[in-house]
Amino acid sequence: ITIRDSVVWVGAKDLKGNLVIAPGAQLRVQCRLGMPLASHILIQAGGQLILENAQLHHPEGRQWLGILIERAGKNKGLLRIGGNTQITDTLHPVPDSASVPSPTD
């Protein structure tokens, strides 16, 4: 799935492949998000992923790859994490380059 606009997910979802947030797009996740085995979330340079009280995991407790943040020169993808967000079952924890202020900042 590629997100190209501003989108808010409030109902639980189980994806069947990778998730890409395109440049200029914003995805706000406020629900449970099941990621498939060996999948990843890619935030392209200029894209935003905002996690608010979200739960990202593999539905059967197996491993998915995690969140990748793309850089292009000084431009990079933005990850904001707030509330009681949980990211589990991932090979790579949240990237060190992630921005973790409150989503309301």
Side-chain angles (χ1 to χ4, degrees), residues 33 43 48 84 87:
L33 179 59
I43 308 168
Q48 289 186 49
N84 188 27
I87 302 171

Side-chain angles (χ1 to χ4, degrees), residues 58-77:
H58 184 278
E60 297 171 359
R62 297 181 70 193
Q63 205 166 59
W64 62 287
L65 297 178
I67 300 171
L68 309 172
I69 299 176
E70 180 181 81
R71 292 177 183 262
K74 292 184 178 181
N75 196 13
K76 68 177 186 175

